[in-house]
Amino acid sequence: MLSPNSLANFSMPKISHQQLQDVADLLMAAALSDGHFHDKERQTLLDELAVAFDFDAVPQDIAETCSTFDERKFTLSDSAASLRELTDETKRAILKLIARISVADGILDLRENVFLMAAASAIEADKSLLVQLVDERVATIRLPDSN
């Protein structure tokens, strides 16, 4: 099992360029799901994609798409379609990417959790994968010190 911070030690299997585009779209939609988007989230998104897929840099067209992403044109079912055929481990890694992008701004928002669950359903991830991921997210939440 991957620890919450071990994605850097895990390289996903090769996926098609279309699947990479669809993962980037899912990540952009995840970052926007809380109603705001910061440059830090975009950079984290690009960094996480590069690490996960073992790129020196994300392909230019994918980076440009992330810069010009229009959430009004995004359809979860369309972006998830090409990802349904992936292995459970690859789907889990994609869901971990979504979770990491969701908290890149330092805020855990309920809307981001709703998006994560919807994405898991849309890519037809095994329910046990989502349960494991939620358990990992809950385990990493730190409550503020009460002084």
Side-chain angles (χ1 to χ4, degrees):
M1 182 187 312
L2 297 173
S3 69
N5 294 318
S6 68
L7 197 58
N9 299 325
F10 176 76
S11 184
M12 283 194 221
K14 298 296 180 201
I15 63 173
S16 72
H17 192 78
Q18 182 58 52
Q19 288 170 322
L20 179 62
Q21 179 64 61
D22 292 339
V23 170
D25 287 347
L26 286 177
L27 295 179
M28 285 299 301
L32 290 162
S33 66
D34 62 0
H36 61 275
F37 187 71
H38 301 284
D39 285 336
K40 180 180 179 183
E41 288 173 297
R42 182 184 332 275
Q43 190 56 53
T44 298
L45 186 153
L46 294 172
D47 292 346
E48 293 288 342
L49 274 175
V51 168
F53 293 100
D54 200 25
F55 294 126
D56 290 332
V58 172
Q60 186 62 34
D61 63 321
I62 302 293
E64 287 174 14
T65 298
C66 292
S67 294
T68 61
F69 182 80
D70 185 351
E71 65 185 306
R72 296 168 297 185
K73 295 179 182 177
F74 173 79
T75 305
L76 180 57
S77 61
D78 289 345
S79 290
S82 75
L83 306 177
R84 292 182 189 125
E85 65 193 50
L86 298 173
T87 66
D88 283 344
E89 191 61 29
T90 302
K91 290 176 183 179
R92 184 176 190 284
I94 290 169
L95 294 175
K96 280 189 80 84
L97 282 171
I98 293 171
R100 290 171 66 104
I101 295 305
S102 296
V103 297
D105 60 1
I107 300 168
L108 184 62
D109 188 289
L110 182 59
R111 294 171 289 185
E112 293 166 326
N113 282 340
V114 169
F115 182 85
L116 177 63
M117 290 185 286
S121 178
I123 66 173
E124 298 176 354
D126 185 275
K127 299 294 183 217
S128 66
L129 297 176
L130 186 57
V131 170
Q132 290 172 357
L133 188 58
V134 169
D135 287 347
E136 288 175 9
R137 284 190 77 181
V138 168
T140 64
I141 294 174
R142 291 189 176 154
L143 297 175
D145 294 332
S146 56
N147 292 331

